[in-house]
């Protein structure tokens, strides 16, 4: 129980620090979202007054005429009320609505791809590490080479070969625009078809890291005394692989998997941009391009919460898998 309380306290402090940085950093950047909206209004012939500026400032989630501490307090209150302001890029839509509309696309695409890459990489890494020096080791340089290839280049190659060349999958978009979005068969099949190429890009690019990490841990674990003792007792190889070697070698990958799941929320900006995929990555890129600080803050907030929640979960699960961590914690 003390271990859990300490972890909760640590992550609560980390969340407060992240919220504070999320408040400070956009205010250090050049430009002002209120000025951007007022400039657009002026270009359309609108009149600019102090009341107009204050109204826009409040609309975007705060009043920049207030002292910085008052703005910080208003920012924290708005966050805990679920009010992240209004997006400039998608004005007058609220930031929560913009993120909510794009979040499922990224969570499904990147989440499923990350799970597939992790499971496949850990399984192959365990097999390769179990018999180092065999022909299976040739998988390591091949997958590592693919992991070193730039994301956008790999995505473009897959589009050129599988979409333009062979015509197997759509090359861009999240679904067929002639269909009505919803939980119906044609739309779901179209969404799956459009997600195959982006998912394949993520799996190929990240598979090598999982395989190499698991392979190296397996090689290290096989030299441990408890594995040598199990072999000396004449236990079956499958039993040793599953219950001694792989079980202990997979522990670092569990921590890495939690971090990867946390970053699922951020999506893959480059991949989504290449495939024109309607995920959170494309929204973040639009926010940066348009100096949309409210949307940037909202996306970073979701990323922060996702990463902290994933790490908290893995810390709690890790203590169950490896009880020694409770004593060290």
């Amino acid at each position: 129980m003390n271990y859990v309380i300490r972890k909760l306290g640590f992550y609560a402090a980390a969340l407060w620090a992240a919220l504070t940085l999320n408040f400070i950093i956009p205010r250090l950047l050049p430009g002002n979202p209120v000025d951007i909206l007022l400039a657009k209004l002026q270009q359309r012939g609108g009149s600019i007054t102090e009341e107009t500026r204050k109204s826009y400032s409040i609309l975007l989630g705060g009043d920049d005429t207030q002292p910085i501490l008052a703005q910080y307090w208003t920012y924290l209150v708005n966050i805990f009320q679920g009010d992240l302001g209004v997006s400039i890029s998608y004005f007058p839509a609220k930031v929560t609505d913009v993120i909510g509309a794009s979040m499922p696309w990224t969570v499904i695409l990147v989440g499923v791809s990350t799970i597939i890459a992790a499971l496949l990489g850990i399984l192959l890494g365990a097999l390769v590490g179990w018999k180092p020096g065999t022909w299976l080791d040739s998988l390591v340089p091949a997958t590592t080479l693919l992991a070193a290839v730039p994301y956008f280049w790999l995505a473009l190659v897959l589009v050129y070969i599988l979409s333009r060349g062979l015509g197997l999958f759509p090359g861009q978009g999240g679904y067929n625009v002639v269909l009505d979005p919803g939980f119906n068969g044609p739309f779901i099949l179209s969404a799956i078809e459009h997600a195959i190429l982006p998912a394949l890009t993520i799996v190929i690019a990240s598979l090598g890291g999982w395989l190499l990490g698991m392979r190296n841990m397996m090689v290290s674990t096989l030299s441990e005394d408890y594995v040598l003792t199990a072999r000396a007792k004449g236990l079956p190889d499958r039993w040793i692989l599953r219950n001694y070697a792989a079980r202990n070698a997979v522990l670092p990958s569990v921590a890495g998997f939690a971090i990867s799941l946390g970053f699922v929320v951020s999506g893959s900006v480059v991949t989504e941009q290449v495939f024109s995929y309607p995920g959170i990555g494309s929204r973040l890129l639009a926010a940066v391009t348009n100096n949309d600080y409210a949307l940037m803050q909202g996306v970073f907030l979701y990323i922060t919460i996702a990463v902290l929640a994933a790490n908290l979960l893995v810390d709690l699960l890790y203590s169950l898998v490896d009880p020694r961590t409770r004593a060290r914690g």
Side-chain angles (χ1 to χ4, degrees), residues 215-248:
R215 185 262 182 198
N216 292 340
M217 285 303 302
M218 277 292 294
V219 172
S220 176
T221 303
L222 290 177
S223 62
E224 296 290 341
D225 293 339
Y226 56 84
V227 175
L228 298 177
T229 303
R231 283 177 166 172
K233 289 181 177 179
L235 296 177
D237 285 346
R238 290 185 179 180
W239 180 271
I240 298 174
L241 172 63
R242 184 178 66 250
N243 295 287
Y244 288 86
R247 182 177 179 179
N248 289 278

Side-chain angles (χ1 to χ4, degrees), residues 19-324:
L19 291 176
T20 303
L21 288 175
N22 200 29
F23 169 80
I24 294 174
I25 291 177
R27 284 161 174 78
L28 298 178
L29 298 176
N32 188 306
V34 178
D35 293 335
I36 296 173
L37 273 182
L38 292 177
K40 292 181 179 180
L41 178 63
Q42 195 171 22
Q43 289 175 357
R44 296 173 184 174
S47 59
I48 307 299
T49 63
E50 285 300 323
E51 289 75 12
T52 304
R53 178 181 178 82
K54 187 173 182 179
S55 299
Y56 271 108
S57 180
I58 296 174
L59 180 65
L60 293 178
D63 186 356
D64 58 1
T65 61
Q66 293 180 341
I68 191 67
L69 291 179
Q71 294 182 43
Y72 179 63
W73 175 252
T74 302
Y75 160 79
L76 292 179
V77 171
N78 288 340
I79 282 181
F80 286 103
Q81 290 179 347
D83 182 9
L84 301 180
V86 177
S87 170
I88 294 176
S89 307
Y90 304 94
F91 187 83
K94 293 183 178 180
V95 170
T96 51
D97 295 336
V98 174
I99 296 177
S102 56
M103 186 69 72
W105 294 94
T106 293
V107 169
I108 293 175
L109 171 66
V110 187
V112 173
S113 302
T114 301
I115 292 173
I116 292 175
L119 293 178
L120 188 60
I122 290 173
L123 177 61
L124 291 177
L127 295 177
V128 173
W130 179 251
K131 295 183 178 180
T134 64
W135 64 271
L136 290 172
D137 261 342
S138 61
L139 292 174
V140 176
T143 55
T144 304
L145 177 63
L146 290 174
V149 173
Y151 242 46
F152 71 91
W153 190 84
L154 179 60
L156 291 175
V157 169
L158 291 179
V159 169
Y160 181 78
I161 296 176
L162 299 180
S163 179
R164 298 293 178 86
L166 301 178
L168 297 178
F169 308 107
Q172 61 180 359
Y175 60 95
N176 192 334
V177 295
V178 302
L179 299 175
D180 294 327
F183 290 98
N184 55 78
F187 174 77
I188 294 176
L189 291 177
S190 177
I192 293 175
E193 186 180 19
H194 282 75
I196 290 177
L197 276 185
L200 187 60
T201 302
I202 297 172
V203 170
I204 292 176
S206 56
L207 179 63
W210 294 107
L211 191 154
L212 181 61
M214 185 62 183
R215 185 262 182 198
N216 292 340
M217 285 303 302
M218 277 292 294
V219 172
S220 176
T221 303
L222 290 177
S223 62
E224 296 290 341
D225 293 339
Y226 56 84
V227 175
L228 298 177
T229 303
R231 283 177 166 172
K233 289 181 177 179
L235 296 177
D237 285 346
R238 290 185 179 180
W239 180 271
I240 298 174
L241 172 63
R242 184 178 66 250
N243 295 287
Y244 288 86
R247 182 177 179 179
N248 289 278
V250 79
L251 292 178
S253 296
V254 172
F257 180 68
I259 296 174
S260 299
L261 283 183
F263 282 105
V264 162
V265 178
S266 65
S268 178
V269 178
V270 177
T271 302
E272 291 184 2
Q273 183 66 15
V274 171
F275 292 101
S276 299
Y277 200 78
I280 200 68
S282 60
R283 300 294 183 265
L284 178 59
L285 184 62
V288 174
T289 303
N290 298 317
N291 292 331
D292 190 348
Y293 298 144
L295 184 54
M296 276 190 282
Q297 279 186 312
V299 173
F300 292 151
L301 177 63
Y302 275 71
I303 294 172
T304 300
I305 293 176
V307 172
L308 290 177
N311 279 272
L312 174 60
L313 179 62
V314 77
D315 276 346
L316 297 179
L317 293 178
Y318 211 89
S319 65
L320 298 177
V321 176
D322 187 3
R324 294 172 298 177

